[in-house]
Amino acid sequence: VFDTAPYNYLRFALKPTQPNQTAQIYFMLVGDKPVGTTVNPFKYGPAPVVGQWNVYTIPLADIGVAKTKIYKFAIQDQTGLPNNVFYVDDVAFVADGGGP
């Protein structure tokens, strides 16, 4: 179980490999019980560009998991196509929403 109380944001870098990829982020409690809400990470940074890294900083309050305990989370492709791959790097919970 991870306590989000000291943090205000989830920050990560994402690089899509196909045009028009869509994604969502959601959190779970122990026992795979959903907590908070699902969000589109691309609303929190630049539009995704194939082959280019971009950083997304999402307020935990927007996801509904600020100042709570979580078990796991997912950054999930939403296009439904089996060949869509995106890469994720530098995943961190941070207190400050400033630059990377």
Side-chain angles (χ1 to χ4, degrees):
V1 176
F2 181 80
D3 187 0
T4 66
Y7 309 101
N8 295 311
Y9 301 90
L10 171 66
R11 179 179 298 143
F12 59 91
L14 189 139
K15 179 172 73 170
T17 61
Q18 303 291 325
N20 302 315
Q21 281 186 280
T22 58
Q24 69 177 7
I25 295 178
Y26 61 90
F27 282 74
M28 304 291 275
L29 299 172
V30 173
D32 290 336
K33 296 176 185 167
V35 63
T37 186
T38 300
V39 298
N40 174 354
F42 302 138
K43 291 183 179 181
Y44 298 91
V49 177
V50 172
Q52 177 180 313
W53 287 102
N54 285 312
V55 175
Y56 300 91
T57 303
I58 304 170
L60 295 177
D62 287 8
I63 308 170
V65 295
K67 312 296 183 215
T68 190
K69 292 184 169 104
I70 54 103
Y71 180 61
K72 60 186 175 180
F73 70 95
I75 302 171
Q76 183 180 54
D77 175 74
Q78 287 296 287
T79 58
L81 300 173
N83 61 340
N84 277 0
V85 174
F86 55 78
Y87 296 97
V88 179
D89 198 8
D90 295 327
V91 178
F93 287 91
V94 295
D96 180 4

